[in-house]
């Protein structure tokens, strides 16, 4: 039971898909996913994890940035977004 967890680092764990359990951590503020083979985020992640302030997606070579980054504006509290060491051909992020 990690319902109050605020910081989670699962970087470099060879995940092939997003661990859906993370969507249950409603107090999560800092999530590090670096160097995993995750391809996409489930919609539940954007809907349930609204307190995200920091998201580290460094070296996520398999990730579909084009489809997912257009939803990043949902994280109203986002202060830091790490996208280093990725090849993102068209970066489009829109914040209100």
């Amino acid at each position: 039971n990690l319902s109050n967890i605020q910081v989670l680092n699962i970087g470099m764990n060879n995940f092939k898909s997003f661990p859906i359990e993370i969507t249950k951590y409603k107090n999560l503020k800092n999530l590090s996913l670096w160097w995993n083979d995750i391809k996409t985020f489930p919609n539940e992640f954007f809907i349930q994890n609204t307190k995200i302030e920091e998201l580290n997606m460094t070296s996520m070579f398999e990730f579909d940035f084009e489809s997912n980054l257009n939803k990043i504006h949902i994280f109203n509290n986002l202060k830091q977004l790490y996208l280093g060491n990725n090849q993102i051909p068209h970066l489009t992020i829109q914040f209100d």
Side-chain angles (χ1 to χ4, degrees):
N1 187 5
L2 300 173
S3 60
N4 291 320
I5 192 166
Q6 293 184 7
V7 177
L8 180 62
N9 182 343
I10 58 168
M12 205 171 202
N13 273 298
N14 202 27
F15 283 109
K16 303 290 185 211
S17 61
F18 186 85
I20 197 69
E21 296 83 6
I22 291 174
T23 63
K24 298 175 185 171
Y25 306 149
K26 299 187 187 324
N27 292 312
L28 192 61
K29 293 182 179 181
N30 180 323
L31 178 60
S32 294
L33 299 166
W34 53 274
W35 215 297
N36 278 295
D37 292 330
I38 297 170
K39 292 175 179 46
T40 191
F41 291 144
N43 283 333
E44 294 87 357
F45 175 61
F46 293 106
I47 295 167
Q48 301 290 344
N49 300 95
T50 57
K51 294 184 180 180
I52 293 286
E53 294 179 2
E54 184 174 321
L55 183 58
N56 187 336
M57 300 174 63
T58 302
S59 301
M60 290 185 58
F61 306 118
E62 302 297 321
F63 195 76
D64 181 1
F65 287 97
E66 195 168 337
S67 296
N68 286 273
L69 288 183
N70 65 0
K71 300 175 192 172
I72 207 79
H73 68 277
I74 293 172
F75 298 131
N76 290 328
N77 296 314
L78 188 67
K79 296 176 183 161
Q80 295 183 331
L81 176 62
Y82 298 94
L83 300 173
N85 200 33
N86 287 299
Q87 293 184 1
I88 306 171
H90 303 288
L91 179 61
T92 305
I93 301 175
Q94 182 177 357
F95 291 93
D96 297 331

